[in-house]
Structures are given as structure tokens and as C-alpha cells.
Amino acid sequence: MDLDLRKLRYFVAVAEELHYGRAAERLHIAQPVLSRQIRSLEDDLGAEIFDRSRRGTRLTPAGRQLLEDAVPLLASAEALLRRVTTAARDTPSLTVGFMPGITLTPATTAFAERHPGVNVRLLRTSWASQVEVLRDGRADIGVVRLPVGRQGLEVRPLFQEPRVVMLPQGHPLSGRASVTVADLAAEHLLQDPDAVPEWRDVALELRDGPRPEVPVIHQVEEKLELVASGAGICVLPLSTAGFYTRPDVVPVPVRDIGPSEVALAWPATRRSRLVHDFAEAVTETMAATEAMGGAETKGGTETMDATETMGAPGDRDGPGASR
């Protein structure tokens, strides 16, 4: 039996909406057509994938398993089409995903010296899309911030960096040289608590509940707008904070919070020489940067802490930034 990818796409829409009407609207097809296609898929599989009752549409155990497998399968099919289309072009190309605050210029320069005929494209990603673009083929390789879902990916750790809390100008803690997680216990966090487990363990809003709603945030700039307005705080990697600057948001180092981990990631099934060579270029340039920093420290210059790197909160207008 050959699976029909179109039917699988229809199934995923219904499984995610759990409502035939909304799924049909999302797919831009008539609801009766959608219902017939789902019935046809069930006939192909020899199993019921939806439990249809007066209580609504629910996934059966077979449906839950199908959803788990269908999403990566469809992403792989989409990635295949993108890669074939790219390979058909006269000029070879490599698309690299990267998170805000991460500078790839040394790596792209080193890679271009080895592959002068390759067109390197950079794709800015977000926390939500950094792995998605690898799975669906929009990017061949990505520089990601951990943790990420590693299924089907090759992940190579690169470095760690401190994280800072972003506070609105005038906040009682904004003039401090640094704070502890306990100092932030009464604050509203504008991100998933799992992203900052140290805060989650002491947060008053999680203990007292219900937790105020966190709006859907897609970009760093949106998060900073909310911080500046006094809607809450967020904890960000140091380099991301330094990438954005605005006078109404202040970064403050957090002494007892875990670092942000940066890694390379690419689909484990890829055997592309270009992907391998770019990974080597990133690793080498990152190692060179680390070595230079270490040499300076050994020469008698102490490594700057997060406050010195960005400027003391009370001495400048303070940068802001993403998760």
C-alpha cells in the first residue's frame, strides 16, 4: 500500500483542529470532501483514526500514532522537494538558519574561501522555527539555541554564554549590578516557565495561580515592547540582549541562572559535503574566537562579566532581546 501524502495532510489538519469544519476551512476545501478523504485514508490503513461521537472528534490510539509519524514524514517530503528544486538550479546554494544575536560572518567568510561558487543564504529563525526550518528543508543547517527536539537531527554543541533578565527602565531592580533568581520570584515571566526552570522553582505566580496569560510572541522586538510597557520580564542570552538596544529596557545579569547553550544542528540523514564543510567552518571559527578570549585572560586581562560586556545598567540606555 502506498500512502497518499495529500490524505495525510488532510488528516493532520483534522487532528490538530479536532473539528472537521475548521480543518476544511484551513485547507480551503468543502467539509464533505474532507470527510470522504479521511474515510478513504482509514480504509487504506485498515484502522479507525478518529472517534466521532456527540462529544466531538477525538483521536483513537491508531490516530495518535499516525499523527506522531505523519508530521515528520510530511516535513521530510517538503524538504525533499525543496532540495531537489535547489539542486536543479545552476548555482549551488546552502541555506543557514540562525538565531538572533549569533554572528556567522567569520564562518561564512571561511566557508566562501573554500567554496567560492556556492551561494550562502542566511535565514533568521525564532525559538519556534529553529528546528522546523531544518525538518521542512527551508534551511540545510542551523545554529540553534538548546534545548531542541533532537529526533532526526545531528546536534554539535558549540559554546555556552550567560543569560540576563530584561527589565523596564525604572524597575526597582534595574539599577542593580546583578540579581538572583529569588529577586525575580514576584515577577511575571513573558515566556514558557520551562525555558527558565530556576525561576519556575521560586515563582510566586506559579505557586499562587492562576498564572496571568502570556500572549503569543513571535519576535524579539515584540517581547521587548511588552517588557518596556511593564507587562513582565524575560530572560535572554547575553549575545541576544546585546544585539538589540533601546532606552526603555535594561539588561541585568542573573548570578544563579544556567547558561544559554548554542549548537549546530542539521538533519541526520543529510550527507551533503557543503553541510559538513559549513559545520567545520563554524566549529573552527568559534574555536578561534574562544582561543583569543582565553589568551587575553591568561595575559592578565580578566574576562568581563555580563555587566561589563554590555555596560552597567545604570550607566547606559541598556539593550534588550529574545528568549
Side-chain angles (χ1 to χ4, degrees):
M1 179 195 72
D2 294 327
L3 277 176
D4 186 329
L5 294 182
R6 179 170 53 92
K7 292 179 185 176
L8 279 183
R9 291 190 183 92
Y10 290 172
F11 159 73
V12 170
V14 177
E16 291 179 345
E17 299 289 346
L18 291 179
H19 190 282
Y20 276 80
R22 289 195 297 269
E25 184 177 350
R26 167 175 155 183
L27 294 165
H28 305 291
I29 63 174
Q31 184 172 333
V33 173
L34 177 59
S35 297
R36 286 197 298 271
Q37 291 297 316
I38 296 299
R39 289 288 188 189
S40 176
L41 178 60
E42 289 180 321
D43 291 341
D44 293 341
L45 296 169
E48 287 193 354
I49 51 182
F50 288 110
D51 178 11
R52 304 163 181 85
S53 67
R54 292 180 180 178
R55 290 179 293 177
T57 302
R58 296 184 298 174
L59 286 165
T60 64
R64 287 194 293 272
Q65 183 62 58
L66 182 60
L67 180 61
E68 181 180 333
D69 293 332
V71 171
L73 177 61
L74 291 172
S76 295
E78 192 171 346
L80 181 150
L81 292 174
R82 283 197 172 103
R83 287 197 290 267
V84 170
T85 301
T86 300
R89 296 174 184 148
D90 292 334
T91 304
S93 66
L94 182 78
T95 301
V96 181
F98 71 99
M99 289 287 285
I102 295 174
T103 302
L104 290 177
T105 306
T108 55
T109 300
F111 179 81
E113 290 174 355
R114 300 172 194 175
H115 298 278
V118 176
N119 180 17
V120 178
R121 300 176 177 137
L122 298 179
L123 176 64
R124 182 180 184 272
T125 61
S126 66
W127 283 98
S129 68
Q130 60 176 342
V131 167
E132 183 180 298
V133 299
L134 298 173
R135 299 197 192 282
D136 66 18
R138 279 178 285 168
D140 299 295
I141 187 171
V143 183
V144 302
R145 292 194 184 276
L146 302 180
V148 298
R150 299 191 179 211
Q151 183 178 4
L153 295 178
E154 188 78 26
V155 178
R156 179 185 296 181
L158 290 173
F159 63 88
Q160 297 181 338
E161 62 174 319
R163 292 195 290 169
V164 297
V165 62
M166 309 306 293
L167 302 171
Q169 183 71 39
H171 188 283
L173 298 176
S174 63
R176 297 259 196 105
S178 65
V179 296
T180 65
V181 175
D183 294 328
L184 306 174
E187 304 293 335
H188 174 47
L189 190 71
L190 295 168
Q191 58 204 119
D192 186 340
D194 287 342
V196 193
E198 299 91 343
W199 175 87
R200 182 190 58 206
D201 292 340
V202 301
L204 297 183
E205 68 178 25
L206 295 181
R207 185 189 69 187
D208 300 337
R211 185 178 183 231
E213 182 180 358
V214 177
V216 177
I217 301 171
H218 300 287
Q219 301 291 340
V220 176
E221 294 85 352
E222 297 173 46
K223 191 171 291 185
L224 293 181
E225 283 292 331
L226 290 169
V227 171
S229 70
I233 65 168
C234 61
V235 174
L236 308 172
L238 176 60
S239 62
T240 307
F243 193 75
Y244 297 85
T245 303
R246 51 185 296 165
D248 48 4
V249 177
V250 178
V252 179
V254 186
R255 296 195 297 274
D256 53 349
I257 206 167
S260 172
E261 298 180 78
V262 177
L264 273 171
W266 63 91
T269 55
R270 295 300 307 276
R271 297 293 181 263
S272 166
R273 169 55 60 181
L274 296 181
V275 169
H276 177 270
D277 286 356
F278 188 83
E280 290 304 310
V282 172
T283 303
E284 290 169 8
T285 54
M286 293 290 183
T289 302
E290 296 262 334
M292 288 174 60
E296 289 177 1
T297 302
K298 291 175 184 176
T301 302
E302 294 184 1
T303 304
M304 292 186 295
D305 66 17
T307 307
E308 292 169 327
T309 301
M310 296 182 295
D315 296 336
R316 58 174 291 179
D317 288 335
S322 154
R323 169 174 164 184

